[in-house]
Amino acid sequence: MANPEILTEADIAGVREYVVKKLPEVTLAFWIMKIAATTLGETAGDLFAQTLKLGYFLTTIALFLVFVATLVIQLISRRYNPFFYWTVILSTSMAGTTMSDFMNRDATAKFLPKGAGSLGWGPQGLGLGYPSGAAILISLLIAVFAIWKLTGLTFSIRDIDTFRGETLFWSAILVSNTLGTSMGDFLSDSSGLGYAGGALLITGLLAVLLALKYVPVVPNVLLFWLAFVLTRPLGATAGDFLTKPIAKGGLDLGTAGSSTVLLVILLGLMGYAHIQERRNNLPPAEALASAP
């Protein structure tokens, strides 16, 4: 655009529309932050539930309330704010970690820290197991998308700009992050692949989705949601790989230390995203004046 005066009304409207968006653009930085947030969600969820021995029941209630609080802030905000958005992603990842654990695990020694006979107040877990838990979560996710489809609203994150659409989006995120935790734990604990093997498998599947992006007949929206679900088990297996004992195939870095490092990384990425957002979201007149 060498001559700003030849810009059409559609161009100006496009600038205005971008300014009021509530959700981020899907870029490489988006996926890096998603993996960082979901990995932190895994280590932080385990920190509260297992290391601090609050248990899955109490931690799930507490983290779900944190999710609700962060979601309210996101929903009432008038424009996209990286700190608000990624805090909700983090809270869904933490809540999804303990919700999945509470659904799938029980009070047997297999799921308790070494030497512990119980874990926090209340029920230790429902003991549904990974297959049953995943079936329930998949059914819930299908139900969310079915309701979403009936509303006639777009599934594309780029075009979600209504309260109802954003509410459906976050409902799908919470369920998909919980489902992703179950998938990651199954790969790490029950598949025989181990933490590193599970992470490599998920990375391979994500590479396939990336290749399919260049196949015209495959809808990009479908690829986005499949990738969004798969990055959660990647975070789960990566988080377990960082924190679990060496005897179990982990690095034994601990939940507290790993969570602290991941939090610093995520905050740094949030800060960078905030700076980029401020540069991109200039008022329409300034945006047009600064166009090359």
Side-chain angles (χ1 to χ4, degrees):
M1 286 186 236
N3 299 310
E5 64 272 9
I6 67 174
L7 288 170
T8 65
E9 288 296 322
D11 295 323
I12 297 173
V15 173
R16 289 197 183 102
E17 181 184 4
Y18 183 77
V19 170
V20 298
K21 281 191 174 185
K22 296 286 297 296
L23 301 176
E25 295 292 312
V26 180
T27 62
L28 177 60
F30 171 91
W31 292 113
I32 293 173
M33 293 181 72
K34 172 64 164 58
I35 295 170
T38 54
T39 306
L40 175 57
E42 178 72 17
T43 59
D46 288 346
L47 170 65
F48 291 120
Q50 299 178 23
T51 305
L52 299 180
K53 298 183 179 180
L54 298 178
Y56 302 126
F57 182 67
L58 284 180
T59 307
T60 293
I61 293 174
L63 292 179
F64 186 81
L65 293 176
V66 171
F67 159 68
V68 172
T70 58
L71 179 59
V72 168
I73 295 172
Q74 166 67 21
L75 290 175
I76 65 177
S77 65
R78 303 187 65 179
R79 60 188 297 175
Y80 169 59
N81 184 304
F83 287 98
F84 295 165
Y85 176 86
W86 289 106
T87 299
V88 185
I89 292 291
L90 175 58
S91 67
T92 62
S93 298
M94 291 191 299
T97 294
T98 55
M99 288 168 62
S100 170
D101 289 344
F102 180 69
M103 290 176 62
N104 299 325
R105 299 181 177 184
D106 53 34
T108 59
K110 177 181 177 181
F111 298 118
L112 295 175
K114 186 176 181 180
S118 63
L119 196 61
W121 179 85
Q124 304 298 301
L126 300 179
L128 298 177
Y130 298 126
S132 298
I136 293 172
L137 292 167
I138 290 172
S139 299
L140 287 174
L141 190 58
I142 291 173
V144 171
F145 280 118
I147 295 171
W148 197 338
K149 179 68 174 178
L150 290 174
T151 66
L153 297 173
T154 179
F155 289 111
S156 174
I157 184 175
R158 296 181 57 188
D159 301 317
I160 296 174
D161 56 4
T162 65
F163 179 87
R164 183 166 58 169
E166 197 177 357
T167 302
L168 288 166
F169 172 80
W170 288 114
S171 299
I173 296 304
L174 179 62
V175 178
S176 67
N177 276 339
T178 307
L179 172 62
T181 302
S182 293
M183 293 169 60
D185 287 343
F186 170 76
L187 290 173
S188 298
D189 299 333
S190 304
S191 69
L193 293 174
Y195 308 123
L200 288 173
L201 174 61
I202 298 298
T203 302
L205 292 174
L206 289 171
V208 171
L209 294 181
L210 178 61
L212 290 174
K213 184 177 183 294
Y214 301 98
V215 179
V217 296
V218 182
N220 282 340
V221 171
L222 174 62
L223 294 177
F224 168 82
W225 282 105
L226 289 174
F228 205 98
V229 171
L230 285 175
T231 50
R232 182 62 188 98
L234 177 60
T237 52
D240 285 341
F241 179 64
L242 292 173
T243 60
K244 298 303 181 183
I246 294 175
K248 291 185 176 181
L251 297 179
D252 200 15
L253 299 179
T255 55
S258 298
S259 297
T260 301
V261 172
L262 288 167
L263 179 60
V264 170
I265 293 173
L266 185 59
L267 288 174
L269 292 171
M270 285 182 181
Y272 173 78
H274 183 69
I275 293 172
Q276 292 297 107
E277 190 66 20
R278 290 189 63 181
R279 289 176 179 172
N280 293 335
N281 283 340
L282 294 173
E286 294 182 31
L288 295 178
S290 63

